[in-house]
Amino acid sequence: MEKAKLLINELAELTSTEINFTADNICEIVVEDRLILLRYRPEDDDWLYFGVVFESEELSREILEKALSFNLFGAETLGLHLGRFNQSLILSGTSEMEGLNAETLAQKLLFLARQINVLSEKLGDNESSQEESISVVSSPLDTVFMQV
């Protein structure tokens, strides 16, 4: 757990945000206006990070079918995992702790936030058939991460 805390401290310094662990080993950070949660899993020595793509009082069959098609072979999720939790669709990824540094984790969180935005837009706009892709721009990390 000590190395997980060290990584989060380095991420906080890199992104100019304050990030703290809850009792459940969960951290919260806002990346490009998306709340991203990180959970260190000591049993697997890895990180699970996730955010909400879509939520509704009731997920329609159409939305669920579209989300399922996004998940097929990771075509639209770009290797991330889209799943349902209660009345929300969640996009998640994992990273092993070994070899992970703050900069790499920050890039993974930025990628996740941008992909959440893409999928959220596609789920919210049933008319859209335009293909979108993620391009990681090199911008100072403290301009895309926010204090929770």
Side-chain angles (χ1 to χ4, degrees):
M1 185 63 183
E2 211 44 49
K3 60 184 175 179
K5 288 181 181 178
L6 181 61
L7 179 64
I8 289 300
N9 289 340
E10 290 172 3
L11 179 65
E13 186 177 322
L14 179 68
T15 60
S16 302
T17 60
E18 185 177 324
I19 309 170
N20 297 303
F21 278 98
T22 67
D24 298 329
N25 295 335
I26 295 175
C27 303
E28 296 179 345
I29 188 168
V30 175
V31 184
E32 291 200 332
D33 297 325
R34 291 288 181 175
L35 178 64
I36 305 295
L37 286 84
L38 298 96
R39 181 171 186 261
Y40 176 65
R41 302 185 298 186
E43 63 278 4
D44 296 321
D45 196 27
D46 72 355
W47 288 93
L48 169 67
Y49 41 92
F50 55 95
V52 175
V53 173
F54 187 88
E55 60 185 340
S56 174
E57 289 183 23
E58 184 177 331
L59 294 173
S60 69
R61 180 182 177 105
E62 178 184 1
I63 291 291
L64 291 173
E65 286 177 352
K66 200 169 190 181
L68 191 57
S69 72
F70 289 166
N71 232 11
L72 183 63
F73 307 121
E76 296 286 332
T77 61
L78 303 180
L80 298 168
H81 307 282
L82 187 61
R84 179 180 177 185
F85 181 76
N86 295 326
Q87 296 304 314
S88 299
L89 294 176
I90 307 293
L91 191 64
S92 67
T94 59
S95 286
E96 292 181 13
M97 183 66 173
E98 188 170 331
L100 189 62
N101 61 40
E103 188 172 299
T104 303
L105 181 57
Q107 289 299 325
K108 288 176 182 285
L109 299 178
L110 183 57
F111 179 80
L112 176 71
R114 290 179 175 172
Q115 191 59 16
I116 287 172
N117 286 336
V118 168
L119 295 179
S120 180
E121 194 172 294
K122 287 182 177 184
L123 285 170
D125 181 10
N126 294 333
E127 304 290 317
S128 178
S129 61
Q130 185 178 27
E131 291 295 316
E132 297 187 41
S133 63
I134 297 291
S135 61
V136 177
V137 294
S138 61
S139 60
L141 291 174
D142 60 356
T143 64
V144 293
F145 288 83
M146 294 175 50
Q147 187 68 44
V148 178

